[in-house]
Amino acid sequence: MRSAAAWRDGGCTGLLDEITNSNTEVPKWLSVSSGFSLALLRWFSSFHGSMFPHLTLSSEDMLAEFSQVLNWSDCVVRAFAWHPHTDKFALALLDDSIKIYNPKSGTAPTLKHRLQRSVAALQWKPLCASALAAACQNCLLVWHVDPCSLSTRPSSGCAQVLSHPGHSPVTSIAWSPSGTLLLSASPMDTAMMVWDVASESCVPLQRVGGGGVTFLSWSPDGSHVLASTPSALFRVWETRMWTCERWPCVKGRCQSGCWSPDGSRLLFAVQGEAVIYAMTFSDKPAGVPTCASTGPQAAAAVADLSETTFNTPEGDITVGGEIQSLSWDPTGERLAVLLKGDPQAADRPTIIAVFKTRTNPIFELLPCGFVQGEPDAEPRLMQFHPNFQHGALLTVCWSNGRITHVPFYFLSAGVPHFGLGGSPSLPRPQEGAADFANQSLFTELLS
């Protein structure tokens, strides 16, 4: 039983370590050979670690390094997920518990499991009311919580445990839009796991190079998957034949990315750069076989977010710099960018920059404004509501544990409107801000 637990938790290294330390319980030749194999494996790992420094980090440090949450280690809310079809959300807390909130219910179930440690990501299963996936330190947990249940503490038997040797810690997960497949990623594993949750089986998709997989994002149309690695390259998989294109980065790894609602455009940010890049995936040209890839030829820089100083009544503040995460609302008309700032400098705050976006007939970015919290609160995590009826609703989790919902009221350009239907009247822009709002930060007409 101890050997099985060691294999489950630590893979081959964990099993060899357990056998080596059990020299009084196993034959001497087995203990010695295991110790020799372990030393050889560690030597190889140290050589491998010089090529991929992240392999020398502890699990906790690795989760903090590659999480989409800013300062994940000490963050009160470590993960957040809106349900794709209803007004309920789940959040993971610092104490490794998961809570589910629904404004139409007086109960808030708390999910706990002995394997639910260091939750890095949450995501609800599409087209399903009850399934919630959680990326944990040593496994994946898929909770099945009956939305009609009045229980505030569902049994751990409601959770499926999905694990694979060497595939930990899990830093990112992504459901397919149809809910049939679940992807998981670990910086320690060069394979991206494709899970069939019903059968609790997985197929590894492995490619040489990169040193692991850190972040996943499935396009809304289901055609592509963004897979970041700890090194200066990322891959974009097409999901018909599960082939991929390899994209190198100049400075660092791909830190974050998000897809347009139709899946035709990918925006991404690179560690160490203050630039947003875009890649366009065109429709399949006539005469091209169905299995052929029609990916982009190059990535275009669409926004330079270098530091800029603004004059405010409280004094000058500097905004811009390195990007932590990106979030694009489901209408494709608002983009939120979490800027890291400098926590040691009061005039360089962590802040969320918001842009107006348009994808058709051309792609454009226009500056919209900023979202800033209370004086002692920093934004750590953000996500757009998937079904807000009056524009876009941005949910922000703050460093002090508060969660706020920031509405952006507008009439979607892609949907015909015959009246406001009860939504608040749209404010008229001030004359002083009109010229600024009409200045395009990026347009394909000028690129």
Side-chain angles (χ1 to χ4, degrees), residues 390-435:
H390 308 301
L393 181 67
L394 180 66
T395 298
V396 183
C397 302
W398 302 89
S399 56
N400 58 7
R402 294 176 65 89
I403 297 175
T404 59
H405 306 292
V406 184
F408 299 91
Y409 295 108
F410 58 86
L411 300 179
S412 177
V415 179
H417 292 272
F418 303 99
L420 292 179
S423 65
S425 58
L426 301 177
R428 293 179 175 271
Q430 296 180 1
E431 292 183 3
D435 295 337

